[in-house]
Amino acid sequence: MLLPVNLTLGIVLAVLLAAAAAVAAWASLGRSREIVLAGLRAAVQLAGVSVLIGWVVRSLPPLLCFVALMYAVAVRTAGRRITKNRTWWWAAVPIAAGVAPVVALLLLTGLLPVRGIALIPVTGILIGGALTATVLGGRRALDELTMRRGEVEAGMALGLLDRDARLEIARPAASDALLPGLDQTRTVGLVTLPGAFVGMLLGGASPVQAGAVQLFVLVALMAVQAAAVATVLELVARGRLRRD
């Protein structure tokens, strides 16, 4: 077992969480409270999920409901990170555009069985990647449009359609949302050994099997994130996702 679940683990986690909040406060980052709440929320949610997964993996209906819950939470989280107005729900589109085709391909080819023990973690990883890409792409695009509003209006004055003018300004900034996934894939095995690889090794798989699973996760994530960023950029350019 990688980590013993005991009092020592709880103390170390509390110290690390407090240290993260303290550093954020010391540097005036303004996120100390969010860090503490995120850590506490993660602990409660993981405790609940640990109990719940044992039940949902037994049959298909609760399994699909759990996947739908993951998707709904991701949409709400991404949407509210991008904008506070009613257009936040459009975040459902890029997340679905990234995750649905990849999961469908895996199911149709038989690489991913319709079993909770396999479907939940794989789908969760992909939804998480789509969430991150959607948030980063949407926020960067809207920030760029706000800061360079004059250039957008100049493009419209030259005859560009509203969508095209916004795309010209927002596209380079939104594409930066792909950098974390690209860097992780480029440096895998050299800088980091990601969770899927380590988990497979601890579970008794051979290094070759663990490497194959990790490669699959990284490539699938790049496909999901590219689709999510492209979709959220289009939504921003068309004014579907916007700020007041």
Side-chain angles (χ1 to χ4, degrees):
M1 185 168 59
L2 180 60
L3 288 174
V5 182
N6 54 26
L7 180 61
T8 302
L9 176 62
I11 294 173
V12 171
L13 289 175
V15 170
L16 290 174
L17 185 60
V23 170
W26 174 77
S28 300
L29 300 180
R31 301 286 184 181
S32 300
R33 184 172 180 272
E34 290 184 47
I35 289 173
V36 173
L37 291 177
L40 295 176
R41 179 173 173 174
V44 173
Q45 289 173 181
L46 286 173
V49 167
S50 300
V51 175
L52 186 61
I53 284 182
W55 173 68
V56 300
V57 298
R58 297 174 185 173
S59 60
L60 188 59
L63 169 61
L64 296 179
C65 289
F66 189 79
V67 172
L69 175 63
M70 289 194 295
Y71 172 69
V73 173
V75 169
R76 174 73 178 181
T77 302
R80 300 305 287 178
R81 280 292 185 191
I82 296 172
T83 181
K84 300 300 183 183
N85 62 30
R86 295 180 181 179
T87 65
W88 66 266
W89 66 270
W90 278 99
V93 178
I95 294 177
V99 175
V102 175
V103 172
L105 176 64
L106 296 176
L107 291 174
L108 291 174
T109 56
L111 290 174
L112 182 62
V114 188
R115 295 200 309 269
I117 201 66
L119 186 61
I120 288 177
V122 171
T123 306
I125 290 172
L126 298 181
I127 291 177
L131 184 157
T132 301
T134 299
V135 170
L136 292 178
R139 287 177 64 93
R140 289 298 307 275
L142 288 173
D143 288 345
E144 198 75 357
L145 290 177
T146 300
M147 290 187 297
R148 300 172 63 184
R149 181 177 177 181
E151 294 177 56
V152 175
E153 293 176 348
M156 294 177 185
L158 292 174
L160 290 177
L161 297 175
D162 292 5
R163 168 189 173 274
D164 296 336
R166 295 190 187 103
L167 277 178
E168 287 297 319
I169 300 302
R171 184 184 287 115
S175 68
D176 285 349
L178 299 175
L179 292 180
L182 288 172
D183 290 342
Q184 184 181 25
T185 304
R186 286 172 178 166
T187 61
V188 65
L190 299 176
V191 177
T192 60
L193 293 177
F197 183 86
V198 175
M200 290 288 291
L201 290 179
L202 293 174
S206 69
V208 173
Q209 289 174 317
V213 170
Q214 186 60 66
L215 179 61
F216 150 71
V217 170
L218 291 173
V219 173
L221 274 175
M222 285 197 296
V224 166
Q225 291 176 340
V229 171
T231 304
V232 77
L233 175 61
E234 186 68 28
L235 291 172
V236 169
R238 292 178 179 272
R240 299 293 187 269
L241 260 174
R242 61 183 182 274
R243 291 174 182 159
D244 294 332

